[in-house]
Amino acid sequence: MLFSSAIFLFLFLPFFLLIYYLLPKRFHNAFLFAASLCFYAWGEGPVVLVLLLSALINYIAGRLIEQGRRRAGLWLSLAGSLSLLFYYKYANFFVDSVLGVAKAFTLPVPAGLALTHIALPIGISFYTFQGISYTLDIYWGRIKANRSFLDYGTYVAMFPHQIAGPIVRYADIAPELADRTTTIEKFGIGAERFILGLAKKVLLANTFASLADTIFNAPPDTYPTATAWLGIVGYSLQIYFDFSGYSDMAIGLGKMVGFDFKENFNYPYVARSIQDFWRRWHISLSSWFRDYVYIPLGGNRASKMRTYRNLLIVFFVTGLWHGASWNFIIWGLYHGLFLLIERAGLGKRLERLWPPVAHAYTILAVLVGWVFFRTETLPEAIHFLQKMLGLGGQPTAMMAYPPSYFLNAELIVSLLIGFVLATPVYPYFQRGWERLVARLVSIHILLNSIYVVGLFGLFVLAVMYLAADTYNPFIYFRF
């Protein structure tokens, strides 16, 4: 069930909120847990049992660690969680890779190695990492294990962050699991954040998705170099507004039921280095890898070579986390290589450069990286990059997809809005509006009413787009 689907917006969410606020406070966690399982089972069916099994493994592991059986608990968590993740997400990839190598080098293939397709449970990468961070924090003495499986299960299964993040750490919401309050003001902030995220997803990301999908799925000889650049720019905006929009909706829903999730994006396309980009992009994931992989490996406390090794390991795993594909691994190592080069000295030079030059370098590096992320295979990525460089051969005389095929008024306006909203313009507008309301006390009710009507209008517009267009993909569901 998508947050941007009619079934969620007009059936699940209203009934959930109505019942949630009618129930006594002591039943809130139980109802949130049950509703979240229903939310997950709506599209996944019995695969919800995988989520429950993962939660049970880490709940038991946490209790074992706190009871003094530290190594047993830690190994149960790591082996159990990662086994589920490997089987459902990477088993097909592993078998296909072995068969591919055997075929390439004419090696004998073990009998029975072929594997039927295993369906990927939605969100397994997210709830696996949440469970591991929970047990590691107990092991390191940062938090206490939760004695209630109901409370812990609510944390893992909570539908606002369950399917596509952000990756919420137990330590960040433990007090709210035990006791939380919601006010009209907090609920209103949550509703505002949800509507803004919905608008990002429906009005912008879906528009850019249609553009990017058409270009990336077209044969290379049907479009010129300019169209290839239009395609990768469209995809870069699609993935940002898709994922950040979904994170906004998750953060908003969390506030509506009393939880404060941390921010997951901080305008990554204004970054002036790849290091800066990763401080701003998918913050909950990059900080997870920093705290639970990079620092335990030694971080930057040892020699330069050890630091470089640690960076490459982290970004190899980062790529693999995003999907069972060599292209994702290449994408991760590509970013890791840039971080290594910047740490070796380029980063200090970028700080001294004229900011637009450093920004152009970062955007170009990110755009090239997105080609590996978007394409299915390495040959497809290479062909698309060749096209971007004008090396992919000349298109046919009767091009199917010149830039003019796509650049209608709607797309041009969407691109302009996308470019603007990818920068910190909205926070400036919001702060300016708040100052205006504070100064004009006599008409603050009118001004606030105007803002609320504007938000409602944005919601109605998003719903109208949903009703008129069945194209409503979501990128991160495959992770």
Side-chain angles (χ1 to χ4, degrees), residues 191-321:
E192 174 191 15
R193 190 68 180 269
F194 180 86
I195 291 171
L196 292 174
L198 179 67
K200 279 186 181 181
K201 170 72 181 80
V202 175
L203 302 179
L204 293 175
N206 287 2
T207 300
F208 299 135
S210 179
L211 167 70
D213 288 353
T214 301
I215 295 172
F216 274 92
N217 293 333
D221 61 352
T222 61
Y223 58 87
T225 295
T227 299
W229 280 97
L230 182 62
I232 194 57
V233 169
Y235 181 72
S236 68
L237 291 172
Q238 176 200 355
I239 193 170
Y240 171 64
F241 287 111
D242 191 291
F243 194 25
S244 69
Y246 208 95
S247 293
D248 286 342
M249 287 188 277
I251 292 169
L253 288 169
K255 288 187 181 297
M256 292 162 74
V257 292
F259 291 95
D260 291 307
F261 302 153
K262 289 187 175 180
E263 295 296 331
N264 207 23
F265 287 87
N266 184 24
Y267 301 98
Y269 291 149
V270 303
R272 297 176 185 174
S273 68
I274 298 301
Q275 288 178 309
D276 189 23
F277 176 82
W278 279 101
R279 295 187 193 105
R280 297 169 176 272
W281 178 271
H282 203 341
I283 299 167
S284 64
L285 179 68
S286 57
S287 62
W288 196 98
F289 276 117
R290 179 197 65 206
D291 295 343
Y292 299 103
V293 180
Y294 180 68
I295 292 176
L297 284 172
N300 59 0
R301 298 190 300 272
S303 65
K304 286 186 178 181
M305 294 307 297
R306 289 282 295 275
T307 298
Y308 299 157
R309 181 208 65 178
N310 295 342
L311 282 171
L312 290 177
I313 290 174
V314 165
F315 276 88
F316 169 82
V317 180
T318 299
L320 193 61
W321 180 89

Side-chain angles (χ1 to χ4, degrees), residues 225-226 228-229 364 368 382-393:
T225 295
W229 280 97
L364 181 61
V368 171
I382 292 173
H383 290 153
F384 197 88
L385 289 170
Q386 288 176 333
K387 199 70 179 182
M388 289 171 63
L389 292 172
L391 303 176

Side-chain angles (χ1 to χ4, degrees), residues 40-56:
Y40 193 85
W42 181 273
E44 293 294 281
V47 180
V48 70
L49 296 175
V50 178
L51 184 152
L52 286 171
L53 177 58
S54 178
L56 183 61

Side-chain angles (χ1 to χ4, degrees), residues 344-368:
L346 179 61
K348 292 183 178 179
R349 293 188 178 185
L350 289 172
E351 292 174 1
R352 295 194 296 267
L353 279 177
W354 186 41
V357 174
H359 180 245
Y361 146 81
T362 305
I363 290 297
L364 181 61
V366 170
L367 288 178
V368 171

Side-chain angles (χ1 to χ4, degrees), residues 28-161:
H28 280 182
N29 279 0
F31 178 66
L32 179 56
F33 185 37
S36 297
L37 294 180
C38 292
F39 173 88
Y40 193 85
W42 181 273
E44 293 294 281
V47 180
V48 70
L49 296 175
V50 178
L51 184 152
L52 286 171
L53 177 58
S54 178
L56 183 61
I57 286 171
N58 288 295
Y59 170 75
I60 294 173
R63 299 286 288 138
L64 288 174
I65 293 170
E66 196 161 78
Q67 291 169 4
R69 301 170 67 180
R70 291 167 51 78
R71 288 187 176 274
L74 183 61
W75 279 109
L76 172 64
S77 173
L78 295 176
S81 299
L82 294 176
S83 294
L84 288 173
L85 183 63
F86 178 83
Y87 174 75
Y88 282 102
K89 189 166 185 175
Y90 302 110
N92 284 122
F93 171 64
F94 176 77
V95 170
D96 290 345
S97 296
V98 170
L99 293 175
V101 170
K103 182 179 179 180
F105 292 95
T106 62
L107 299 174
V109 178
L113 184 60
L115 189 66
T116 57
H117 177 71
I118 300 171
L120 176 66
I122 290 174
I124 189 171
S125 299
F126 291 92
Y127 61 73
T128 296
F129 272 27
Q130 288 177 175
I132 291 174
S133 68
Y134 170 75
T135 53
L136 282 174
D137 282 347
I138 297 171
Y139 186 82
W140 289 329
R142 295 173 178 172
I143 59 173
K144 297 290 185 181
N146 196 315
R147 297 186 179 185
S148 167
F149 179 72
L150 176 62
D151 289 349
Y152 176 72
T154 301
Y155 154 68
V156 174
M158 196 186 309
F159 75 85
H161 69 73

